[in-house]
Amino acid sequence: MRVLTRLRHALSPLRAVALAYVGLMLLVLLLAPVISPHDPLTQDVANRLQSPGLGTHLLGTDELGRDILSRVVHGARVELLIALGATLLAMVLGTLLGLLGGYFGGLVEVLTMRVLVDVLLAFPPIILVLLAVTLRGPGTATLIVAMGVLFAPTFARIAYGQVISVKRLEYVEAATAFGAPTRTRLLGVILPNISAPLIVQVSLTIATAILLESGLSYLGLGVVPPTPSWGSMVAQGQRYLSSDPHVLLVPGAFVVLTILAFGLVGDALRSGLDPKSRNQR
Amino acid sequence: MFSYVLRRIGVGAGLVLLVLTLIFLALHLVPGDPAMLLLSQGDGASVTPEAVARVRTQLGLDEPLLTQYWQFLSGALTGDLGESFRNQQAVSEAIGERLPRTLELVGLATLIAVVVGVPWGALAARKGGWFDSLTSVLTSIGVALPVFVFGSVLILVFALNLGWLPAGGFAEWGEDPGRHAQVLVLPAIALAVGFASTVARMTRSAVLEMLHQDWVRTARSLGLSRRAVFRRYVLRNSLTPVVTTVGIGVGTLLGSTVLVERVFNYPGLSSLLVEAVTARDYPVVQGIVITIAVLFVSINILVDVLYGVLDPRVRR
């Protein structure tokens, strides 16, 4: 209950709107085929490049006459699936690395935190994903795995720092004294107690993943067409920028709003869950 | 100080070695024959045995693994990064031609981000109130703006509608210095916005933390004016964490140029990388990834050294 109260206090009006938007996006993820007014791939060349307005195409059509709203809705689905998948993978991998490195120390720490984590952090993120795409070719699976590995170090560092600070505390020693096996101590005792900052990181990582994925799709190296994705819609729109800017601006706005919303929800979670955050005056 | 610098360089060299090893292993750890993978376009079309044999020879895949590793390392360290699959140009030569352009872009963007971000964050921390709230909203948006969306909007407004600046392209400094400078403006701004927001946020929280230190109150009670305390002590002490942010940020910028160079059709290192990835020209991709990773590590060493200069406590 106390956590819920604190979270409510952390919820400024702006953050509440962001939370509602995130909820809406998750709904879109589940219901995309039901919500979307048209088929995202059906071409209607007679009605190409229509401006947004009240009518059959609320957000207008693109250069092949495809309904932009439907494409945005289906794009959201792909975008979120990849972002959620990569984040989940990163969380599991990273938390595991951090737990092991922090708890055992010594050689395990060197291998996990120094070798694996530091090396992965020695690349700008997008560069490693491009290396993976060169080897495997673009596609949803490549993206999820590459970004999952790439974002793992952030979770590892957080988990590592937390484990170091709690592993000598009484409740962990009590579990040891009662004969709990290492696995129980790590996953049953320590993990629940260090989960708050990891949960905060989930929301922020989703935002970063969307940023990265849309960028790759913009380059034509992410989601493979004809599957609609926000990044490739922006790339298409660039060709009609002077005559029909809406083809670019509509998907662009959704990328910005979605990243912003997940970022703000992350901020709210941080000030609600993490008593040490000193972002407030 | 000297031994601190040496130690940092040692750690950096070790990291570079590990980075090179990871890049080497990337080709071999991916399931399947690397030569087949690079040749297949994902459509399962048949690949001729001759083509596979050619790729294998070119990448040295027929040698024993340790020999390959040694050749890869010695090549990377002496600047021999192999030849492009597409046009047989030496990879190091192609990189040498493109890298300065990308560095120029990153340098300019960093300059803009620091010149705007630091005073802005410091002012937000000092003034508080509505300006601080506004800063918080604007920097949130700034961080969330993908460079390819913001860059396109810049083109729409400043190139297409107002016609003030070119929408993209490139001109050599030696041939047309005026155009060379004009072409850089929009991409640099597009790159700098997110970075400036991060710097402003970091500066704000660092300054806020300093303002609440006991020594600030002591200095005030000794009769120093608020302005003097702020200028002489608070700002200076706040800069150390900001330097770290800038160091990490420059690396991220280097990554973002991949998108910005495409938006503005700028022929730098990153657009070469994207071309190579699209054509699956592995030697070129590998060479550029190595170059960028080494640059990234070097920048971080530089930042650590700078950190030592600014804060003597670090130099243990």
Side-chain angles (χ1 to χ4, degrees), chain B residues 222-289:
Chain B
L222 285 174
L224 270 81
S225 72
R226 197 172 289 252
R227 173 185 289 246
V229 175
F230 189 79
R231 288 244 171 111
R232 249 181 269 164
Y233 304 104
V234 172
L235 207 53
R236 198 194 146 129
N237 275 296
S238 314
L239 284 183
T240 18
V242 175
V243 167
T244 318
T245 312
V246 172
I248 297 169
V250 170
T252 316
L253 273 196
L254 217 50
S256 303
T257 54
V258 169
L259 297 163
V260 167
E261 290 185 5
R262 166 67 71 91
V263 175
F264 292 95
N265 214 354
Y266 186 83
L269 186 68
S270 302
S271 46
L272 180 65
L273 175 62
V274 174
E275 284 163 33
V277 174
T278 312
R280 306 190 81 176
D281 188 348
Y282 193 74
V284 177
V285 175
Q286 179 177 267
I288 296 176
V289 172

Side-chain angles (χ1 to χ4, degrees), chain A residues 1-271:
Chain A
M1 269 329 281
R2 287 212 359 253
V3 173
L4 277 184
T5 322
R6 259 192 288 157
L7 275 178
R8 218 173 28 242
H9 280 300
L11 215 57
S12 65
L14 186 66
R15 287 169 174 174
V17 173
L19 189 64
Y21 179 88
V22 166
L24 187 75
M25 277 294 135
L26 294 179
L27 213 63
V28 168
L29 168 69
L30 294 173
L31 300 176
V34 184
I35 299 175
S36 128
H38 298 269
D39 183 281
L41 301 179
T42 305
Q43 303 182 3
D44 177 10
V45 185
N47 285 317
R48 68 195 288 268
L49 293 172
Q50 281 188 1
S51 299
L54 292 172
T56 43
H57 302 290
L58 273 182
L59 295 179
T61 57
D62 68 6
E63 79 277 17
L64 297 172
R66 295 175 295 195
D67 181 54
I68 292 183
L69 176 60
S70 306
R71 290 177 67 73
V72 163
V73 165
H74 277 86
R77 185 174 220 196
V78 179
E79 200 83 51
L80 289 174
L81 269 181
I82 294 177
L84 291 178
T87 304
L88 202 68
L89 183 65
M91 185 178 70
V92 172
L93 272 179
T95 307
L96 210 61
L97 282 178
L99 276 175
L100 293 175
Y103 190 79
F104 292 108
L107 187 63
V108 182
E109 183 189 322
V110 170
L111 280 179
T112 52
M113 301 308 295
R114 296 285 83 75
V115 175
L116 273 173
V117 169
D118 282 356
V119 169
L120 284 176
L121 288 175
F123 296 89
I126 196 168
I127 302 298
L128 264 195
V129 180
L130 286 178
L131 189 69
V133 171
T134 317
L135 286 168
R136 300 293 300 171
T140 315
T142 313
L143 285 182
I144 293 180
V145 174
M147 297 203 310
V149 171
L150 192 69
F151 294 140
T154 324
F155 286 97
R157 285 211 161 159
I158 295 171
Y160 172 80
Q162 295 284 315
V163 174
I164 294 280
S165 68
V166 303
K167 74 173 177 184
R168 300 260 170 267
L169 293 185
E170 289 85 349
Y171 65 84
V172 180
E173 283 185 2
T176 318
F178 279 115
T182 313
R183 219 183 75 177
T184 316
R185 263 178 276 156
L186 279 178
L187 300 180
V189 180
I190 294 182
L191 186 57
N193 279 291
I194 64 165
S195 55
L198 293 169
I199 293 170
V200 173
Q201 190 57 37
V202 166
S203 191
L204 300 176
T205 305
I206 293 176
T208 317
I210 294 174
L211 190 63
L212 189 52
E213 193 285 321
S214 57
L216 288 165
S217 292
Y218 169 79
L219 295 173
L221 298 168
V223 175
V224 184
T227 310
S229 71
W230 294 348
S232 57
M233 291 174 74
V234 170
Q236 267 172 28
Q238 219 172 12
R239 272 175 286 160
Y240 303 92
L241 196 53
S242 50
S243 54
D244 301 274
H246 74 274
V247 183
L248 181 144
L249 293 178
V250 170
F254 275 94
V255 180
V256 177
L257 284 178
T258 311
I259 295 170
L260 190 60
F262 276 101
L264 286 172
V265 169
D267 287 347
L269 284 172
R270 174 156 41 208
S271 36

